[in-house]
Amino acid sequence: MNEKQLIKNLLDFIDHSPSPYHAVKNLENQLVENNFTKLDEKQHWVLNRGGRYYVIRDGSSIIFFVAGERQLSDSGYKIFGAHTDSPGLKIKPNPVINSEGLLRLGVEIYGGPILATFTDRDLSLAGRFSYKTSEQQVDSQLVQFEQPLLRLPNLAIHMNRTVNEEGLKLHKQNELALIISTAIESQLSQQYLTQLLEQTSNIKADDILSWELNVYDTQKGSFWGDKEQFYTDSQLDNLASCHIGAQALLNHSTLKSGNTTLCAFFDHEEIGSESTKGANGSFLPDILERIALALELKKEDYQRALANSFMISADMAHAYQPNFPTAYEPEHKVMVNKGPVIKTNANHRYSSECISEAMFINWCKQTNTPYQKYSHRTDIPCGSTIGPMTSAKLGIRSIDVGNPMWAMHSIRESAGVKDHLYMFNVINHFFSSD
Ligand code: ZN
């Protein structure tokens, strides 16, 4: 696949993944097409060396792997980690505000989005809802409204004269509700959302019990620039990394390196990863141990496997934007289309250290891939990733890397076309390495 085809494939994945639940469902479809077998955490596992498997926890975190022919205690796990969630707006449990001639939906803020970018866009809803079945059990299904359903119109400049000097400030409680309709009869108002869900599913409104719906942008991804050397979409942070890992592992699963290779994609990174399916929960440790047990490793052999393992924690990096030079560390400007970024931080907000960094650089050199080093400004607090917490829990050597991008946490992020293939080549090499 050339670099442009790979980006088209990425944009298609993102445009069909308006929520982490949809992202995991789309990954699952691809895995099934490639003969991966689903494992259930509630069941006994029997694994074959050379087999391909996946596990989903609560619909929005997924681990998939190839059980290698090589002895796991010697080869270790080759792990690629990323996250499925993106910051944004989520619908409140009683969202309907039916007043002043308009119907609006109240929202909560999930993680740290750039709120101003949500104004004046063609927004809609996606996620999952749960319902009562005819057997009085609880089941759930995915939902996506395809049409632009919602909008957050800006205030006209005539009423906000200083917006260009002071920036657009939105009051989190009072100014984020999204317009969906003109007002309706007030006694129906809180049932409005379940009736909306009924219209797009085969489930009766009265049977719908709960939901997790996030706001998404219906605009599709696209290329831009005079030679289409850039691309843009929502959720590049971090579905772009999930896409690279999945493509590399699917590619590797057809090769015979004998390594046990694994992708772990977690929900809830944007809110600190503290959940049953988050990177700071038990999902990855549980699955690594169960793989070892199913392959009949003794405790010491499992611990040897961990000691021989390596994890690449992939999350996007901040590309240099020359209009804002003072926001960046002058000696660590990273550029789009100039290759993967290695992230380091003295306070270990990133998991990279001298040895893991050198190993990654070595893989870049072996694949003729350019690379860049990033350090945040010393006077601005640095973000973090799933890298430090997962490597700390497991004692696995790890590195934090990512592709450069602009406007992280905007609803419309952008990046460079070349970088996706560069990173794909390095990850491919990593999965096959000794
Ligand atoms: Zn991220």
Side-chain angles (χ1 to χ4, degrees):
M1 219 185 275
N2 70 27
E3 57 194 30
K4 223 153 188 183
Q5 282 169 330
L6 195 62
I7 299 295
K8 277 187 186 150
N9 195 283
L10 164 66
L11 297 180
D12 192 55
F13 169 59
I14 294 176
D15 292 339
H16 287 92
S17 303
S19 80
Y21 298 98
H22 289 82
V24 166
K25 184 71 204 161
N26 289 327
L27 288 166
E28 179 178 25
N29 292 344
Q30 247 191 310
L31 294 169
V32 170
E33 268 172 38
N34 285 275
N35 301 318
F36 279 68
T37 304
K38 185 170 193 164
L39 297 170
D40 182 344
E41 287 191 81
K42 294 176 185 151
Q43 303 297 324
H44 174 65
W45 290 7
V46 179
L47 304 184
N48 298 315
R49 289 185 191 279
R52 307 162 183 198
Y53 305 94
Y54 71 94
V55 197
I56 293 172
R57 195 177 270 194
D58 195 37
S60 56
S61 291
I62 184 168
I63 292 176
F64 48 102
F65 60 95
V66 178
E69 307 276 357
R70 285 178 70 193
Q71 192 53 248
L72 185 57
S73 47
D74 297 327
S75 69
Y77 303 89
K78 311 273 180 203
I79 303 169
F80 180 91
H83 64 89
T84 57
D85 60 325
S86 297
L89 303 175
K90 295 215 176 197
I91 299 301
K92 284 182 174 171
N94 293 329
V96 177
I97 308 163
N98 188 23
S99 66
E100 299 178 81
L102 289 169
L103 194 71
R104 291 171 295 158
L105 297 184
V107 291
E108 284 185 277
I109 299 169
Y110 178 83
I114 305 176
L115 291 172
T117 65
F118 283 68
T119 59
D120 303 330
R121 300 205 64 92
D122 301 341
L123 305 175
S124 200
L125 293 177
R128 67 171 176 176
F129 67 89
S130 293
Y131 57 93
K132 187 180 69 173
T133 65
S134 51
E135 294 84 34
Q136 308 300 311
Q137 300 295 310
V138 168
D139 205 348
S140 67
Q141 64 173 247
L142 300 189
V143 60
Q144 175 182 8
F145 293 90
E146 305 269 351
Q147 75 277 27
L149 203 61
L150 301 160
R151 200 163 195 89
L152 181 58
N154 229 311
L155 197 57
I157 196 161
H158 315 81
M159 296 151 189
N160 191 10
R161 290 283 183 191
T162 57
V163 65
N164 291 329
E165 289 68 42
E166 294 179 5
L168 180 61
K169 293 173 189 156
L170 295 161
H171 190 280
K172 291 173 184 171
Q173 172 63 25
N174 301 335
E175 295 175 349
L176 288 179
L178 304 167
I179 296 173
I180 188 168
S181 176
T182 46
I184 52 169
E185 289 175 43
S186 58
Q187 66 269 28
L188 289 174
S189 61
Q190 285 305 337
Q191 289 157 23
Y192 175 81
L193 191 71
T194 47
Q195 286 168 352
L196 207 61
L197 291 168
E198 178 183 282
Q199 284 167 27
T200 190
S201 68
N202 51 359
I203 307 298
K204 288 203 180 71
D206 284 348
D207 292 333
I208 295 172
L209 306 173
S210 57
W211 55 82
E212 287 173 65
L213 297 171
N214 62 257
V215 173
Y216 82 96
D217 189 350
T218 57
Q219 189 180 357
K220 305 274 187 236
S222 62
F223 291 92
W224 61 280
D226 64 353
K227 295 188 175 60
E228 299 197 325
Q229 58 274 69
F230 312 117
Y231 67 97
T232 179
D233 209 340
S234 62
Q235 306 178 96
L236 297 188
D237 172 16
N238 196 15
L239 291 185
S241 301
C242 293
H243 181 261
I244 292 174
Q247 297 314 306
L249 193 131
L250 288 173
N251 185 53
H252 178 262
S253 67
T254 62
L255 307 172
K256 282 264 176 259
S257 79
N259 286 335
T260 295
T261 54
L262 183 144
C263 282
F265 300 156
F266 304 96
D267 196 355
H268 291 161
E269 190 273 346
E270 299 290 355
I271 51 165
S273 299
E274 191 84 25
S275 72
T276 51
K277 55 186 170 180
N280 209 14
S282 66
F283 191 30
L284 183 59
D286 286 351
I287 301 307
L288 294 184
E289 190 168 2
R290 290 198 62 177
I291 294 170
L293 293 172
L295 294 174
E296 296 177 336
L297 265 68
K298 295 197 181 80
K299 177 86 176 163
E300 188 189 33
D301 290 331
Y302 171 55
Q303 287 180 316
R304 286 179 56 219
L306 293 181
N308 278 313
S309 296
F310 193 97
M311 185 173 88
I312 293 181
S313 159
D315 208 339
M316 303 301 273
H318 303 299
Y320 186 63
Q321 213 285 38
N323 294 2
F324 307 109
T326 57
Y328 297 85
E329 208 303 304
E331 301 306 320
H332 296 85
K333 295 171 189 162
V334 299
M335 303 290 180
V336 296
N337 288 326
K338 297 282 186 201
V341 176
I342 298 165
K343 309 177 195 178
T344 56
N345 177 260
N347 297 303
H348 220 64
R349 303 285 290 162
Y350 301 128
S351 64
S352 317
E353 34 74 23
C354 171
I355 307 289
S356 62
E357 190 182 333
M359 289 170 76
F360 188 83
I361 292 172
N362 208 18
W363 296 324
C364 288
K365 287 184 183 293
Q366 286 163 0
T367 52
N368 291 318
T369 306
Y371 61 90
Q372 315 179 69
K373 294 190 183 186
Y374 182 79
S375 179
H376 212 57
R377 277 187 69 100
T378 314
D379 55 354
I380 301 178
C382 182
S384 191
T385 69
I386 62 163
M389 59 184 77
T390 40
S391 59
K393 249 183 212 290
L394 292 159
I396 290 178
R397 192 184 289 287
S398 172
I399 186 163
D400 269 288
V401 299
N403 273 340
M405 65 172 282
W406 288 305
M408 189 178 286
H409 294 192
S410 163
I411 202 166
R412 198 80 180 159
E413 300 167 329
S414 50
V417 166
K418 283 180 188 290
D419 295 319
H420 210 61
L421 184 58
Y422 282 146
M423 185 69 93
F424 171 83
N425 288 336
V426 181
I427 304 307
N428 231 350
H429 188 71
F430 158 64
F431 280 149
S432 307
S433 64
D434 280 337

